[in-house]
Amino acid sequence: MATQAIQKIAIVGGGTAGWMTAAALMKFVGTASDKKARCEIVLVESDEIGTVGVGEGTLPLIRQFNQTLGIDEAEFIRETNATYKLGIEFCNWARIGDAYLHPFGDYGFPVDGIEFYHFWLALKEKGLAGSLDDYSLPAQMAYANKFTYPERDPSSLLSTFSYAFHLDATAYARYLRRRTEAQGIKRIEGRVEHIIQTEDGSIESLKLASGEDISADLYIDCTGFRALLIGDTFKSEFCDWSEWLSCDRAVAVPTSRTGELLSYTKAIAQPAGWQWRIPLQHRTGNGYVYSSKHISDDEAFGTLKRNLDGELLAEPNFLRFKAGHRKISWIKNCVAIGLSSGFLEPLESTSIQLIQQGITKLLELFPSKNIESCLSDEFNRAMLLEYESVRDFIVLNYHATERDDSPFWDYCRQMGIPQELKEKIDLYKRRGYIIEQQQALFLIPSWLAIYTGQHLVPEKVDPRVAGFDLPKLAERAAELKQQIIDALDKMASNNEELLRNCAPNHNDASPQAYRNLYGQSRI
Ligand SMILES: Cc1cc2nc3c(=O)[nH]c(=O)nc-3n(C[C@H](O)[C@H](O)[C@H](O)COP(=O)(O)OP(=O)(O)OC[C@H]3O[C@@H](n4cnc5c(N)ncnc54)[C@H](O)[C@@H]3O)c2cc1C
């Protein structure tokens, strides 16, 4: 059967998801592409409704996204007031007083194809090794507040880490909008009020409050928590994961910058959730993610305020959400990307990354006009796996706790957990084995960071290490530790490196300037 190319795409929503999708579609299938097949892309958004307006932590793959779009990193950093991010520090998660890092990089060195952590566990058992962080370059860089760029040469120590950004997601969306509009995307300001469907249930057109009709071959739902197309119109089932991720509220507030810029996010466990602290160039982002069953909004804001170290720059922004995702994110000619397809709370900064994964999958499976169902099936299967693996990783943080000082932590410690996660934890506890999921967002070093930080210690070490000369390996590990220390000496401080590359965009962080620039946006 002859297939007809998609000629028009309508994106509904202009938050981070909408503009990231718009930018990528423009590049690969739209008018910004240098290919012959070009399709018209329109984006409808409503300023009146606004965007979520938070979202400041990212994962390293965002750099790949930007590079693919041809974005200059220094310009991006300036435009989004970004800072470098080498990982996330978890404070008070397993026990009060604890702190550990989930760094973006590897630990140690493999020996004869065996992962370093197996040796480290054996050395540690015999008192021959230091802390896991001693063998992680990004962890040491983060704590020493040093920065340099990774190298590609696999023999270089500098090839063992990656970095992401803390950024102002609203500014990122604005920046992408400017670029994408310059490439010819049509932006329509307005509220979509009705969705008109064909007999077979596909979307025929969108009706705006202004009376305008927009019809397209493919519709992308980027309407955030509203999920106007995928939820309201298609009634795609929402898989509710709040029994495992019970935080359902957040209060966010920016403060003035104080002290040195850190190159890691702080995630500080609190009695009914956790608090984030994210350093941007011009301000610090803060928030308390909490369970409304365990604390009121006022108490949560009170706790947050008591733990802030700068001047408040805006009124608190209270947000509500439910952890979970749409069972099906691509139905007929509608694909949901962003919060409309799901949300797993911000602990591991995965939302923008899941937007990126959704866009990448959509482009890989880009349909023709008659939308082959095998493409949407594969998209839905792949996205479900992504969500589930991120879910398990975040649940691990909550569940593997020893805290018994509040009803919230009692609940997290005692709750049932997804079967796949239970199996993963069992394998690690019994034999120190970490499942390598090929296409998952979080790989072995990330799981190891959390297991170790949460004090999970395997009952047995890998029997393969028995055949190795452990004292000799201990010497090699000590050499690596020293190499890391030496490497730090040659690096610039995080601030220096940042400022060398790009001066901040908005230096004036007074409360008034903040309000003028960022306004208040709610869900
Ligand atoms: C507390 C909290 C903290 C977070 N922290 C992080 C983080 O650190 N890292 C991270 O990666 N992510 C984070 N996120 C998630 C991140 O904010 C979102 O994933 C991201 O901003 C994308 O949102 P979105 O574009 O899907 O939705 P939104 O920002 O809500 O955008 C929705 C868009 O749809 C439009 N719209 C809605 N209805 C209509 C209509 N009827 N007609 C026309 N337009 C319409 C709106 O105008 C808006 O433009 C956080 C989220 C929350 C709640």
Side-chain angles (χ1 to χ4, degrees):
M1 190 170 69
T3 52
Q4 241 194 320
I6 297 263
Q7 280 162 353
K8 186 166 175 187
I9 303 172
I11 300 168
V12 187
T16 318
W19 285 109
M20 283 177 74
T21 307
L25 290 182
M26 279 299 280
K27 154 104 188 177
F28 288 101
V29 295
T31 45
S33 134
D34 51 8
K35 320 250 173 359
K36 281 219 173 88
R38 293 182 167 185
C39 97
E40 184 190 348
I41 303 175
V42 295
L43 184 147
V44 193
E45 69 175 314
S46 161
D47 281 343
E48 181 199 341
I49 294 174
T51 62
V52 163
V54 283
E56 296 162 329
T58 63
L59 293 173
L61 284 171
I62 192 174
R63 287 172 35 231
Q64 207 178 55
F65 184 78
N66 285 347
Q67 277 160 17
T68 306
L69 295 182
I71 288 175
D72 172 68
E73 188 165 299
E75 181 178 279
F76 159 82
I77 290 178
R78 270 196 306 275
E79 290 287 339
T80 61
N81 278 299
T83 61
Y84 298 120
K85 175 179 174 187
L86 292 164
I88 304 169
E89 185 189 44
F90 292 86
C91 303
N92 303 334
W93 278 79
R95 300 171 189 160
I96 292 177
D98 269 1
Y100 69 91
L101 208 79
H102 167 200
F104 298 148
D106 220 337
Y107 296 97
F109 43 83
V111 182
D112 291 350
I114 302 174
E115 295 267 354
F116 173 78
Y117 75 92
H118 293 297
F119 298 104
W120 176 74
L121 286 166
L123 293 173
K124 188 89 184 129
E125 206 178 60
K126 296 193 176 332
L128 294 173
S131 84
L132 192 58
D133 282 348
D134 286 349
Y135 312 105
S136 158
L137 180 62
Q140 296 305 322
M141 284 166 67
Y143 281 135
N145 210 13
K146 294 291 183 96
F147 190 80
T148 192
Y149 295 100
E151 280 180 7
R152 279 175 196 272
D153 173 5
S155 66
S156 164
L157 178 62
L158 299 186
S159 70
T160 61
F161 77 101
S162 190
Y163 67 98
F165 303 100
H166 302 116
L167 55 77
D168 177 338
T170 309
Y172 184 44
R174 238 185 350 237
Y175 171 58
L176 291 176
R177 170 181 162 184
R178 239 187 10 255
R179 284 177 58 94
T180 316
E181 280 188 313
Q183 292 164 346
I185 197 172
K186 186 172 172 203
R187 174 188 178 272
I188 300 168
E189 162 59 38
R191 176 193 282 263
V192 175
E193 282 202 334
H194 299 291
I195 318 288
I196 319 294
Q197 290 174 277
T198 60
E199 262 176 26
D200 82 343
S202 301
I203 299 180
E204 185 172 302
S205 62
L206 311 170
K207 198 162 202 49
L208 304 197
S210 62
E212 187 179 349
D213 277 316
I214 296 169
S215 65
D217 302 317
L218 184 66
Y219 296 83
I220 316 290
D221 185 346
C222 294
T223 58
F225 289 127
R226 277 176 193 76
L228 193 67
L229 313 186
I230 203 77
D232 287 4
T233 306
F234 284 106
K235 312 277 181 247
S236 171
E237 189 188 332
F238 185 80
C239 302
D240 182 344
W241 287 339
S242 48
E243 72 177 285
W244 300 310
L245 294 170
S246 56
C247 289
D248 57 354
R249 302 273 164 97
V251 51
V253 72
T255 51
S256 56
R257 214 187 109 181
T258 53
E260 272 222 288
L261 284 175
L262 296 183
S263 51
Y264 54 93
T265 300
K266 270 180 175 283
I268 308 153
Q270 296 290 1
W274 63 280
Q275 177 183 341
W276 79 75
R277 187 184 185 284
I278 296 186
L280 300 185
Q281 292 185 45
H282 61 317
R283 62 169 164 85
T284 304
N286 312 276
Y288 186 177
V289 176
Y290 55 96
S291 152
S292 61
K293 282 202 193 101
H294 296 95
I295 195 172
S296 70
D297 292 348
D298 284 349
E299 284 173 302
F301 183 47
T303 307
L304 179 63
K305 260 201 312 200
R306 280 194 299 282
N307 290 297
L308 297 177
D309 56 7
E311 186 193 353
L312 290 192
L313 296 179
E315 292 301 311
N317 183 6
F318 287 91
L319 301 119
R320 292 166 178 234
F321 51 84
K322 195 188 272 180
H325 83 116
R326 301 274 160 196
K327 201 165 185 179
I328 299 179
S329 305
W330 180 344
I331 303 180
K332 296 191 179 286
N333 60 346
C334 169
V335 184
I337 292 180
L339 297 175
S340 58
S341 74
F343 182 54
L344 293 175
E345 79 138 86
L347 185 60
E348 291 282 355
S349 327
T350 43
S351 276
I352 291 175
Q353 188 55 54
L354 286 165
I355 294 172
Q356 189 178 330
Q357 309 292 92
I359 295 169
T360 306
K361 268 279 155 250
L362 172 60
L363 284 167
E364 281 170 2
L365 297 164
F366 199 73
S368 49
K369 235 179 195 177
N370 64 336
I371 317 248
E372 304 85 339
S373 60
C374 58
L375 302 179
S376 52
D377 289 349
E378 171 55 17
F379 180 92
N380 292 323
R381 189 197 63 79
M383 290 311 291
L384 174 63
L385 282 181
E386 294 276 6
Y387 271 94
E388 282 178 345
S389 87
V390 170
R391 173 201 67 194
D392 286 357
F393 191 64
I394 300 176
V395 172
L396 173 65
N397 278 280
Y398 282 101
H399 180 62
T401 183
E402 295 171 14
R403 285 186 62 159
D404 57 3
D405 54 293
S406 73
F408 173 78
W409 289 107
D410 282 342
Y411 174 79
C412 293
R413 205 183 61 251
Q414 291 162 357
M415 69 185 173
I417 54 172
Q419 184 58 26
E420 301 87 330
L421 176 60
K422 199 173 166 319
E423 288 162 11
K424 283 181 186 135
I425 295 177
D426 276 351
L427 273 168
Y428 186 72
K429 274 192 180 162
R430 305 284 160 250
R431 255 292 308 277
Y433 182 79
I434 302 176
I435 296 178
E436 174 81 293
Q437 272 179 295
Q438 280 313 316
Q439 284 175 347
L441 209 46
F442 296 108
L443 304 176
I444 288 179
S446 296
W447 286 87
L448 181 65
I450 309 299
Y451 285 142
T452 307
Q454 300 285 136
H455 303 291
L456 265 64
V457 181
E459 288 162 11
K460 289 192 205 101
V461 296
D462 189 318
R464 287 174 300 174
V465 304
F468 287 82
D469 181 344
L470 285 184
K472 211 167 180 179
L473 280 172
E475 276 172 31
R476 268 188 77 186
E479 278 167 24
L480 172 67
K481 184 176 164 183
Q482 188 56 47
Q483 280 166 13
I484 291 175
I485 294 169
D486 295 344
L488 292 181
D489 280 346
K490 296 190 195 111
M491 291 180 199
S493 80
N494 182 25
N495 271 329
E496 275 174 69
E497 191 65 35
L498 192 69
L499 295 171
R500 198 168 26 238
N501 285 307
C502 36
N505 212 16
H506 308 295
N507 259 330
D508 185 348
S510 70
Q512 195 48 50
Y514 178 81
R515 279 183 206 110
N516 292 344
L517 281 169
Y518 296 95
Q520 282 296 300
S521 46
R522 295 170 307 280
I523 53 168

